[in-house]
Amino acid sequence: MAYRESLEQVQAQRQLMKLSPSRVRFVKMLEMTGPEIEEEVRREVDDNPALEVVDDTIELNINHNGETAEEMQRADYPEEDIPVYRFEARRHSIGDTSYEPVAVAGYNLMDYLLEQLAQSGASREMMDIAPFIIGNLDSNGYLQRNLNQIADDIAMSTGVDVDMDVINAVFQAVRASEPAGIGATDLRDCLLLQLYRREPGPRVSLAIKILEDNFETFSRKHYDRLASTLGVDNEQLALAIDLIRTLNPKPAAAFDGGADNDLARVIVPDFSVEVDGDILELYLLNNIPELRIDAAFAEDTPIPARAGEAAKAAVGFITERRENAETFIKLLKLRQETLFRVMAAIMKIQRDFFLTDDESLLKPMILKDVAELTGYDLSVISRATAAKYVTTRSGIYPLKFFFNERIASVDTQNNDTSSRSVMAEIKRLIDEEDSAKPLSDSMLTKMLNDAGINVARRTVAKYREQLHLPVARLRRKIN
């Protein structure tokens, strides 16, 4: 069989969507957190001489057409359906008392442990070895590698073979440091390290025996079998278990997320919602100065007829910088406007929650609902809410918190029950249950159905797991 090759022209029509460079940059700016956009503005001002900071005390105007922020928001709604918000775009500096950044961590575990070792009289050799051990502690304070592996690390890094007895001595010194439980190899070891420091007594001894010899039975909450094995009554067992519950399973949790992580994660709210009676006030929090075009770049410089290449290049430079500055200012204002409108739409839908801070009043809300109010594409809504936070009277919430689906129900029509409200009800029922006879998922389902919330048992189990609540057997306590 012979094959023929030929060249021919074919005309075809295809649809392609290609984002302009400015659109790509806007998308990136929209995704940025507050600190990230502030850094982006500082970097742009430093790099582009055509940009000038007006005055860092002037409030940000996020409108293109001279309208006030309130007028711009009112234009989104029919006159008879104006939401009862006071819309403002207000700048807040980091030092303002209107919100406080939430720091997840506060101290450096490495420095804290090294200081204790130094005060205990550790030798220079031990102090040189200690960072290798402390550096292998995870965010809970547990050792992630065995001592032989750490010895290999030391040999590779320093070229010195250290005696295992010395390494073990440093390891034991770390385990003897504060907080109690630091340097443990697992949860059981962590709890035992804390119990060993307690004043001896029958209750402490029983607790130690439970963890040393019956940890699996204890972790499965088979209390009847545990009492029988140990030969104690329920009252003695309950006292020992209550003592174990007072122990800290994560001794390093108060530090910087691990031994050598010096950067505390900080949450800075992007919005503030304040309540004045039945009026909600929305503020856009930012530390972004107002920008304008520098006077030297404000107008086109005419090019003389006989201008040389250097003069033309200079004029081209001025024009390019001015256009870049104008684009950046426009995109920055568009970002602020987009964020403001998205948050305003969320407030409109979840008005009852913001007035009361009651999670059970959260309504079903998906990206499409916000898109219908703002006119923005779903992708814009998703980017505008990613890694953004709002501060309210009751605390700081990620914007993703307010998105929850309408629950699957037998009555699919006019069902305005959200997953959040169901989760809140499940948590309430479990909080109020008899700890000696905790509610099973089937019982929770029946109680919800009796209350008019028609959900399936598998849905209840899913929401319970999302609340990080264990099954009934593991919630049981001895009275």
Side-chain angles (χ1 to χ4, degrees):
M1 180 181 292
Y3 292 92
R4 291 191 304 168
E5 294 184 358
S6 64
L7 296 175
E8 57 181 14
Q9 289 184 336
V10 178
Q11 189 175 30
Q13 190 175 36
R14 291 187 301 169
Q15 283 188 331
L16 296 175
M17 185 177 68
K18 187 175 181 180
L19 295 178
S20 64
S22 62
R23 183 67 180 176
V24 171
R25 188 169 193 187
F26 168 69
V27 168
K28 291 181 179 179
M29 291 171 66
L30 190 62
E31 292 176 334
M32 291 180 181
T33 62
E36 288 172 344
I37 194 63
E38 290 170 15
E39 179 60 30
E40 180 73 7
V41 170
R42 282 193 289 268
R43 182 165 51 247
E44 191 69 19
V45 170
D46 290 340
D47 293 344
N48 192 344
L51 271 178
E52 180 182 44
V53 175
V54 178
D55 187 337
D56 59 8
T57 63
I58 296 178
E59 292 189 358
L60 179 67
N61 174 15
I62 61 173
N63 186 16
H64 298 298
N65 302 313
E67 297 175 290
T68 65
E70 183 174 355
E71 290 170 344
M72 182 173 59
Q73 296 304 321
R74 288 177 181 271
D76 289 340
Y77 303 95
E79 186 64 28
E80 65 276 7
D81 191 31
I82 294 176
V84 284
Y85 308 144
R86 294 176 185 170
F87 292 105
E88 294 185 43
R90 179 176 298 177
R91 291 188 61 253
H92 287 247
S93 66
I94 296 300
D96 269 352
T97 57
S98 56
Y99 72 90
E100 294 183 6
V102 177
V104 179
Y107 301 96
N108 181 274
L109 181 60
M110 175 73 77
D111 293 340
Y112 185 60
L113 292 176
L114 288 177
E115 181 180 354
Q116 292 183 67
L117 291 178
Q119 292 176 354
S120 69
S123 66
R124 181 63 189 176
E125 182 183 19
M126 293 178 67
M127 293 300 296
D128 290 340
I129 294 171
F132 290 92
I133 294 177
I134 300 172
N136 279 288
L137 301 181
D138 64 13
S139 59
N140 295 325
Y142 298 171
L143 189 68
Q144 293 299 292
R145 309 186 73 198
N146 63 48
L147 296 185
N148 288 325
Q149 292 173 323
I150 293 175
D152 293 338
D153 293 341
I154 296 172
M156 293 181 63
S157 299
T158 65
V160 177
D161 290 326
V162 182
D163 190 283
M164 285 301 301
D165 290 339
V166 178
I167 295 178
N168 187 63
V170 177
F171 176 52
Q172 296 304 327
V174 170
R175 286 162 61 88
S177 302
E178 295 293 338
I182 204 74
T185 55
D186 53 31
L187 174 61
R188 174 174 167 273
D189 187 33
C190 176
L191 301 178
L192 283 170
L193 283 176
Q194 297 174 60
L195 284 175
Y196 292 151
R197 299 191 190 186
R198 296 295 180 100
E199 184 177 349
R203 186 185 183 194
V204 174
S205 297
L206 181 57
I208 291 175
K209 195 168 185 179
I210 289 173
L211 296 181
E212 284 184 339
D213 304 328
N214 303 276
F215 183 72
E216 184 175 353
T217 305
F218 163 72
S219 62
R220 294 180 180 274
K221 295 199 173 186
H222 292 156
Y223 295 138
D224 293 337
R225 186 189 309 171
L226 192 58
S228 176
T229 301
L230 296 171
V232 297
D233 57 33
N234 283 345
E235 184 179 354
Q236 293 173 305
L237 183 63
L239 289 173
I241 291 176
D242 286 343
L243 173 60
I244 294 174
R245 288 200 181 103
T246 65
L247 305 177
N248 183 6
K250 300 179 180 181
F255 296 85
D256 292 344
D260 55 358
N261 178 14
D262 293 330
L263 298 176
R265 295 173 54 218
V266 175
I267 295 174
V268 179
D270 301 88
F271 307 93
S272 173
V273 175
E274 298 177 6
V275 180
D276 183 7
D278 62 348
I279 302 233
L280 296 177
E281 298 177 338
L282 172 62
Y283 300 103
L284 176 61
L285 306 176
N286 61 78
N287 197 28
I288 301 174
E290 185 178 357
L291 304 177
R292 67 184 177 193
I293 306 299
D294 187 277
F297 292 78
E299 297 180 359
D300 282 327
T301 302
I303 302 177
R306 298 182 180 180
E309 293 299 323
K312 292 180 180 179
V315 172
F317 171 81
I318 292 173
T319 302
E320 179 187 7
R321 295 292 175 160
R322 183 183 66 252
E323 291 176 351
N324 289 344
E326 290 172 344
T327 300
F328 183 78
I329 292 174
K330 178 181 178 182
L331 294 179
L332 183 61
K333 289 182 177 180
L334 183 59
R335 174 193 184 270
Q336 304 297 84
E337 175 186 330
T338 302
L339 291 179
F340 198 90
R341 292 194 179 207
V342 168
M343 187 64 221
I346 293 174
M347 285 176 60
K348 179 178 175 63
I349 298 172
Q350 304 294 4
R351 171 178 168 77
D352 292 340
F353 168 82
F354 285 106
L355 285 174
T356 63
D357 292 315
D358 185 352
E359 291 186 22
S360 66
L361 298 180
L362 283 168
K363 296 181 179 179
M365 186 182 78
I366 57 177
L367 293 176
K368 183 180 178 182
D369 298 322
V370 179
E372 289 176 351
L373 284 178
T374 60
Y376 295 136
D377 187 81
L378 295 181
S379 63
V380 172
I381 306 297
S382 178
R383 290 184 171 93
T385 54
K388 308 297 190 304
Y389 293 82
V390 59
T391 178
T392 70
R393 292 177 303 178
S394 61
I396 297 176
Y397 297 89
L399 296 196
K400 294 294 186 182
F401 169 81
F402 302 103
F403 290 89
N404 55 104
E405 296 181 354
R406 183 173 281 102
I407 65 167
S409 172
V410 176
D411 179 15
T412 57
Q413 294 184 346
N414 301 320
N415 178 20
D416 200 30
T417 305
S418 71
S419 58
R420 289 286 184 187
S421 62
V422 177
M423 290 170 70
E425 183 64 15
I426 291 173
K427 186 176 185 304
R428 185 189 68 80
L429 292 173
I430 291 178
D431 288 343
E432 297 176 357
E433 71 184 0
D434 182 355
S435 59
K437 297 179 180 178
L439 299 170
S440 66
D441 290 342
S442 297
M443 284 298 299
L444 288 170
T445 303
K446 183 179 183 304
M447 295 173 73
L448 290 171
N449 291 341
D450 291 344
I453 304 174
N454 298 316
V455 292
R457 190 198 64 80
R458 61 178 178 274
T459 303
V460 171
K462 180 181 75 171
Y463 290 163
R464 176 183 52 73
E465 291 172 357
Q466 290 178 4
L467 289 167
H468 303 292
L469 296 172
V471 296
R473 177 174 58 80
L474 297 181
R475 297 199 307 272
R476 183 187 168 209
K477 297 179 181 178
I478 301 177
N479 293 330

